[in-house]
Amino acid sequence: MIIRKVFPSKDIVEIQEELRKLYGDNFVVIEINQIKKYPLPFIPLFGKEYTEVIIEISDRPKQQEQKGFKNEFLEEVILKQLEELKRELQSLKTQQQQVKKFTVKVVKRDSDLKGEDKKFLNQLGDEALKLLDLLYERGFDEVLTVKILREATGYDIENELFDLKDTPYKVLSEAFSKLYGFKDLEQEEPQKVIALVGPTGVGKTTTIAKIVSNLVLNSRKTVGVISLDTFRVGGAQRLESFLKVLEVPFRKADTKKAFETALEDFADKEFLFIDIAGRSVYDELSWKEIFNIFSDLPEEKLLPLLTVSFNMHPDAVLEIYRHLKGYPLKGLILTKADETSKRGAIFTAVEEMELPLYYFTNGQKVPHNILLATPSNLAKLILETE
Ligand SMILES: Nc1nc2c(ncn2[C@@H]2O[C@H](COP(=O)(O)OP(=O)(O)OP(=O)(O)O)[C@@H](O)[C@H]2O)c(=O)[nH]1
Ligand SMILES: [Mg+2]
């Protein structure tokens, strides 16, 4: 006799037990189906899942092959359920690994983070997490990373997560524009005396050559350059030869008097650059001498730009800044972006100095390897892969 039974349960072992209670061992499962039942016929609403089992009941003791058939069938169903469980487990494992990977990072670098910041980091969506990884990879410290991510993300109510508001390039540009100051030298009032100051070898002279080329060749500005790098053999020679090609007037000045004469000579120039040999922060006398040369210039005329390289440790940059704090530094130039992938590290110092950014340089080629400091150029430098 073939009969059909419907069970509210989906658990096949439970169903088998029920059947066994009813028919002992004298039944064979022929078919199992998952079905849906609706309270109102023909209206497919509020359906509930049931298991339909078709069995054959026999009066005779059960034969071996029938048992085999039933077991085979059950095996197949159980295997299917196991497969599903396996898949679910696998997906849970992957999720757990991701959480672990992320937690390790946060725990490793969260020494300075407040509780609410840690909570924020643990609520980031996939795209925001990718950006978090990138910012850490670029050397941004954890406090800055949180600040940038707070600007870059919005709350997604549906998923209860903070995720990127737009593409990484756009969100980074926007975040940087809010967090740092950016200035364009060409928008400065005319006849500023621009002096690049900083440690030895960061690229001050090379950067002056790049800026001057661009001002003269692209913006058709009138420029003069004065070098205070007179005590080193050949200190000013390369710059002088380069400027000759550009037909930019150049003077060397080793005294305050010579400097003032050069200033008078260049009184008609729109931009005036001062090249200074780099020196140690500890050489205070030498810094005093330099700023003494500028002392008769009205402060609003002088634009000393601290020049440091992306590959310097932020503490080293801050040490220089603190030593020079008595002087009127007005902005920053960051050089050698091409020499490190950790281009975010220096922003710990940038944030503390609160000086606006003027230029980034990214290579030795004059005049090409220079970028105006803009939020979007900074975003490009941060997103760029080597
Ligand atoms: N990779 C790389 N090298 C640069 C960059 N800017 C300058 N340099 C190189 O850095 C070296 C030093 O450059 P300078 O311009 O002489 O540096 P400086 O700051 O004037 O040095 P001092 O006058 O000695 O204080 C040179 O070999 C430049 O070619 C840059 O953006 N990237
Ligand atoms: Mg130099």
Side-chain angles (χ1 to χ4, degrees), residues 121-237:
L121 287 186
N122 279 306
Q123 279 182 287
L124 295 180
D126 283 351
E127 293 306 309
L129 277 174
K130 275 188 214 154
L131 187 61
L132 170 90
D133 273 350
L134 178 95
L135 294 173
Y136 279 162
E137 232 171 87
R138 289 287 175 265
F140 280 99
D141 72 40
E142 56 269 40
V143 176
L144 270 185
T145 302
V146 170
K147 270 193 188 174
I148 296 170
L149 283 171
R150 282 201 186 276
E151 295 292 345
T153 56
Y155 192 62
D156 173 354
I157 299 172
E158 203 175 306
N159 295 312
E160 297 181 352
L161 289 168
F162 288 92
D163 223 336
L164 297 193
K165 289 193 255 188
D166 208 320
T167 60
Y169 169 69
K170 283 201 178 140
V171 294
L172 276 186
S173 306
E174 203 187 307
F176 292 146
S177 74
K178 289 192 180 145
L179 295 171
Y180 310 115
F182 295 87
K183 280 213 167 174
D184 181 353
L185 199 65
E186 288 192 41
Q187 305 304 318
E188 292 286 345
E189 279 167 32
Q191 297 189 309
K192 280 270 163 81
V193 177
I194 303 140
L196 271 63
V197 295
T200 48
V202 285
K204 297 178 295 299
T205 308
T206 313
T207 304
I208 288 180
K210 291 173 184 173
I211 301 174
V212 170
S213 302
N214 285 304
L215 285 175
V216 172
L217 301 175
N218 301 332
S219 306
R220 306 274 156 205
K221 300 287 182 193
T222 55
V223 181
V225 178
I226 303 171
S227 173
L228 303 185
D229 186 358
T230 52
F231 63 93
R232 294 189 301 185
V233 178
Q237 213 164 23

Side-chain angles (χ1 to χ4, degrees), residues 285-321:
L285 199 67
S286 167
W287 283 109
K288 262 190 195 141
E289 266 170 28
I290 287 293
F291 278 93
N292 184 43
I293 288 184
F294 305 136
S295 61
D296 288 343
L297 269 177
E299 202 185 306
E300 65 279 4
K301 270 227 142 194
L302 185 65
L303 194 75
L305 302 180
L306 178 63
T307 308
V308 286
S309 60
F310 273 98
N311 53 13
M312 284 174 72
H313 193 283
D315 288 349
V317 174
L318 286 174
E319 193 180 6
I320 295 169
Y321 173 69

Side-chain angles (χ1 to χ4, degrees), residues 198-208 210 229 232 235 238 275-279 307 311 334-339 360-366 369-370:
T200 48
V202 285
K204 297 178 295 299
T205 308
T206 313
T207 304
I208 288 180
K210 291 173 184 173
D229 186 358
R232 294 189 301 185
R238 279 186 61 207
D275 186 35
I276 304 167
R279 56 205 68 219
T307 308
N311 53 13
L334 305 182
T335 63
K336 307 196 182 183
D338 55 308
E339 287 199 359
F360 305 126
T361 78
N362 58 349
Q364 290 184 293
K365 280 188 209 129
V366 181
N369 292 152
I370 188 159

Side-chain angles (χ1 to χ4, degrees), residues 53-113:
V53 187
I54 316 283
I55 53 170
E56 183 180 0
I57 300 171
S58 146
D59 297 335
R60 283 169 287 142
K62 202 161 25 87
Q63 288 169 11
Q64 208 47 43
E65 66 265 38
Q66 281 174 325
K67 198 174 184 180
F69 173 62
K70 184 180 88 177
N71 285 345
E72 249 173 47
F73 202 89
L74 281 177
E75 233 169 61
E76 203 181 306
V77 175
I78 288 168
L79 274 178
K80 256 191 197 159
Q81 288 189 341
L82 271 175
E83 248 342 283
E84 220 167 272
L85 271 173
K86 234 167 126 182
R87 265 200 303 275
E88 271 176 29
L89 247 172
Q90 193 53 46
S91 118
L92 273 173
K93 252 189 189 164
T94 324
Q95 280 176 23
Q96 199 189 13
Q97 273 165 358
Q98 281 171 351
V99 169
K100 252 193 200 156
K101 194 173 136 210
F102 172 60
T103 321
V104 168
K105 269 201 172 124
V106 174
V107 166
K108 204 174 70 180
R109 312 193 46 140
D110 68 355
S111 49
D112 291 338
L113 291 184

